Amino acid sequence: MEARTEKEVEIHVKLREGRIDMGEKYAYAVEAGATIKWVCAQPLAILLEWDAPFEIKYKSAKSTVVQATKEGVPNRLYKYGIAVFDGEKVLTLDPVLVFAPPRG
C-alpha cells in the first residue's frame, strides 16, 4: 500500500481550550518539491530539526512556508515544533512530517 503524499499542504493552527489544534491530521507524508504552509491568527514559530530537508521559503509572524528538498530520507519521520503565543504564554506542540519515497 502506498501512502498518499501531498504536494501542497496548508495547516491551519488554532488555539482551543488552552492548547494547539491542527485539525484531524498531525502528520503529513510529503515528497521532494512539496510545500508546507502553517497559518495561525496568533504569532507562531516553526522549529525544524537541524538536518530536516526543508528550505524556508517565507516567514512572517503568523505564517511560515517551507519546501521539501531532494535530500529527504524516505520513510524517515522529521520532527518539528510549533510554538504559538496566546497573549499570555507560549504553547508548544511537536508533530511530524514523513518524507515519502519517490513514486514509480
Side-chain angles (χ1 to χ4, degrees), residues 11-22 38-46 59-64 82-91:
I11 302 168
H12 294 271
V13 180
K14 297 179 178 144
L15 297 181
R16 292 195 199 281
E17 299 176 4
R19 59 190 177 94
I20 295 173
D21 181 1
M22 294 180 12
W38 292 269
V39 179
C40 187
Q42 291 81 17
L44 88 152
I46 304 298
K59 175 121 181 67
S60 74
K62 297 182 179 181
S63 68
T64 298
I82 296 177
V84 178
F85 182 62
D86 74 355
E88 295 181 11
K89 61 187 174 289
V90 176
L91 304 170

